[in-house]
Amino acid sequence: MSSKNSPKIVFANKLLHAGYSLEINEQRLINLALSKVNSKKPNPGKIVIYPTEYAKCFGLNKSSVYEQLSAAAESLRDKFVTILDDKDEAFSIPWVSNTTYEKLKNQGSFITLEFSEAIEPYIFNIKGDFTELFFHNTVKLNNLASFRLYALLNRVRNYKNYKRKGEVVVNFQLPEMKQKLFLSESYGAWRDFKNRVLLPAIEKINAHTDICVKFKPKKMGNCITAIEFAYSTQCPSKSEHIARPNLFRRPKVKKGSAKEGEWARENLTLLRTYEMLKQNQNPTFKLKKADVRRCVEYAKILGDDESKIFYSKQLNKKTITP
């Protein structure tokens, strides 16, 4: 679907920065409902969603979609958003006032959803300070982290002071980033956050949306304190040649030193970014065996067990490029 024909999801930036935790089917239900309304007009009341359109939009199995949709509609009644007011005081409001399952003789079964009166200022009659996304760019973002990161990056898309050399560049402090993605304390370590949240989210965004994202951790002393994201809206076409990047030479330093870790991290990031961009053109693309071995080596140096296991498994596959 082209951007011209795709409906938009629009919400106030206060809602974008709000604290909330949703399951993927709850987020999908909200996104689909928002794509059906005009954000410049008042709350229309009941919004009708059919299981067949829900399945088609998100590429789901029709045989199980009703159970997923009805469960999401029911659980959404108990979900709240925590928003900061103009005095930076937090208050919680419900997403919806009502969700129901209905079945009519000539229309089949469907879900009706009504957004709550309390949330109206953040999704209806919006005049300024908002973010808008094309709905078709969100349908393959199948976890909350990838959707929220995509929305956060798009918020500054049209601001000149965030643009550098054809890219949009935005920085987040690490605690702020985790808070905005509404993550639990189990992602406290940078390695866990990067491998379990950040890289999977960026891979989804690069593969299924209109932007191509890369990131760079920023350090203060030996600690990573912030993340710099840079993205382009001119993603490589299917026919565009993407050259393998030149890797940094190993520095003459002691094994286990911080400098060795920086070298390994930079090269692993280069190869993973190259791999993601190539897979965006061709999903069957695989790194050459020599580069996979390099990724295993870098991961060992960094103590990145997940990446080490991931690339070690590739070495045992027959489909890998020699």
Side-chain angles (χ1 to χ4, degrees):
M1 182 183 291
S2 68
S3 297
K4 290 182 179 180
N5 299 322
S6 178
K8 293 179 180 179
I9 301 171
V10 183
F11 40 80
N13 286 331
K14 278 195 174 183
L15 185 59
L16 175 61
H17 296 300
Y20 63 86
S21 180
L22 295 174
E23 299 298 327
I24 183 58
N25 283 318
E26 295 168 343
Q27 183 70 67
R28 284 170 169 168
L29 180 55
I30 286 172
N31 288 352
L32 183 53
L34 287 176
S35 75
K36 289 171 166 278
V37 301
N38 187 334
S39 62
K40 296 179 181 179
K41 294 183 178 181
N43 188 345
K46 289 184 178 181
I47 300 167
V48 177
I49 295 174
Y50 293 93
T52 50
E53 67 170 331
Y54 186 83
K56 183 178 179 180
C57 283
F58 300 107
L60 303 175
N61 190 321
K62 291 182 180 180
S63 63
S64 61
V65 70
Y66 172 69
E67 288 77 9
Q68 295 178 45
L69 183 56
S70 58
E74 184 175 350
S75 59
L76 201 52
R77 298 173 195 159
D78 301 319
K79 293 298 177 76
F80 289 77
V81 189
T82 301
I83 294 178
L84 294 177
D85 63 17
D86 294 333
K87 298 180 180 179
D88 285 338
E89 294 182 357
F91 63 98
S92 294
I93 57 176
W95 276 103
V96 298
S97 58
N98 192 30
T99 59
T100 59
Y101 161 68
E102 298 185 38
K103 189 172 184 178
L104 299 178
K105 187 175 181 180
N106 297 325
Q107 296 185 44
S109 60
F110 54 90
I111 297 290
T112 60
L113 176 151
E114 294 181 69
F115 285 107
S116 71
E117 184 178 346
I119 210 167
E120 285 182 12
Y122 308 101
I123 53 179
F124 298 114
N125 291 320
I126 295 178
K127 295 180 180 178
D129 195 24
F130 62 86
T131 294
E132 63 178 20
L133 309 172
F134 285 108
F135 177 65
H136 75 279
N137 284 325
T138 69
V139 296
K140 296 292 186 180
L141 302 179
N142 60 1
N143 61 54
L144 186 59
S146 59
F147 173 76
R148 293 205 73 171
L149 178 59
Y150 177 66
L152 286 165
L153 295 175
N154 268 275
R155 184 184 71 83
V156 298
R157 186 172 187 151
N158 297 316
Y159 289 78
K160 289 184 179 179
N161 55 325
Y162 286 94
K163 293 185 177 180
R164 288 186 221 157
K165 297 180 180 179
E167 294 184 320
V168 180
V169 180
V170 58
N171 289 272
F172 293 104
Q173 294 298 310
L174 189 55
E176 176 193 17
M177 185 81 261
K178 292 179 181 179
Q179 183 183 30
K180 289 184 184 301
L181 298 182
F182 210 72
L183 299 173
S184 67
E185 294 181 0
S186 62
Y187 299 100
W190 163 251
R191 184 177 65 188
D192 290 338
F193 173 66
K194 181 191 72 172
N195 291 328
R196 296 169 61 189
V197 179
L198 199 56
L199 286 174
I202 289 175
E203 286 171 1
K204 285 290 181 183
I205 291 169
N206 287 348
H208 300 296
T209 75
D210 57 339
I211 63 176
C212 292
V213 186
K214 56 187 177 183
F215 74 95
K216 179 171 67 176
K218 306 191 82 172
K219 300 177 75 173
M220 184 176 288
N222 291 325
C223 296
I224 294 169
T225 57
I227 310 171
E228 180 179 277
F229 294 94
Y231 70 89
S232 170
T233 56
Q234 300 296 321
C235 297
S237 67
K238 298 293 182 184
S239 59
E240 184 178 342
H241 175 65
I242 300 173
R244 176 191 175 279
N246 293 321
L247 302 178
F248 294 100
R249 289 187 177 183
R250 188 184 194 107
K252 295 180 179 179
V253 295
K254 290 182 179 180
K255 286 187 176 183
S257 66
K259 289 291 185 181
E260 184 191 44
E262 289 177 8
W263 164 77
R265 182 177 294 107
E266 287 175 341
N267 280 349
L268 183 58
T269 300
L270 283 172
L271 286 175
R272 290 205 68 158
T273 301
Y274 168 65
E275 182 181 31
M276 286 189 291
L277 291 173
K278 292 292 287 186
Q279 287 177 348
N280 192 30
Q281 292 182 324
N282 177 12
T284 63
F285 172 81
K286 301 291 182 183
L287 289 173
K288 290 186 176 181
K289 187 175 286 188
D291 281 337
V292 175
R293 287 199 183 101
R294 290 185 178 97
C295 288
V296 173
E297 179 193 359
Y298 301 145
K300 285 180 179 178
I301 292 170
L302 296 169
D304 185 343
D305 292 336
E306 288 192 24
S307 292
K308 183 181 73 174
I309 292 169
F310 175 78
Y311 286 108
S312 294
K313 286 181 178 178
Q314 287 195 26
L315 286 174
N316 299 323
K317 291 182 179 179
K318 294 181 180 179
T319 54
I320 195 165
T321 305

